[in-house]
Amino acid sequence: TKWKESERQQSELVAELGCLTRQERIVFVLRDLHAMPTDEIGRVLSLSQVTVRRHCMSARGKLRDRLFPRKT
């Protein structure tokens, strides 16, 4: 069912958060899972918006590579 698939994907995502640096993990969770605005994350973490976006993009790339490996 869709519920089981969603639950499985959520479990996989949480398991892979460990591959991220502490900063990437914090930014990813706040931005992508809690939909916190970039400027607010920057204020809370004392980071520029550019740095917040960089950490988020890096986290997304690492998670994408681990969750959806490219077939060669």
Side-chain angles (χ1 to χ4, degrees):
T1 67
K2 285 186 178 185
W3 173 255
K4 288 279 188 188
E5 179 66 15
S6 176
E7 192 173 81
R8 183 188 63 78
Q9 289 173 337
Q10 183 178 1
S11 294
E12 287 178 7
L13 175 63
V14 169
E16 294 299 337
L17 289 177
C19 78
L20 305 177
T21 67
R22 181 176 184 273
Q23 202 77 315
E24 288 170 339
R25 187 170 47 253
I26 291 167
V27 169
F28 176 79
V29 169
L30 293 176
R31 179 72 184 105
D32 286 356
L33 302 184
H34 291 286
M36 184 182 279
T38 303
D39 61 328
E40 188 174 344
I41 296 169
R43 276 196 308 278
V44 170
L45 299 177
S46 298
L47 299 172
S48 71
Q49 288 187 50
V50 170
T51 302
V52 170
R53 288 192 300 269
R54 183 177 50 83
H55 284 312
C56 197
M57 291 303 295
S58 178
R60 289 172 183 163
K62 287 179 182 180
L63 291 170
R64 181 182 55 244
D65 291 346
R66 292 180 71 104
L67 293 168
F68 306 103
R70 294 181 184 174
K71 295 180 175 142
T72 55

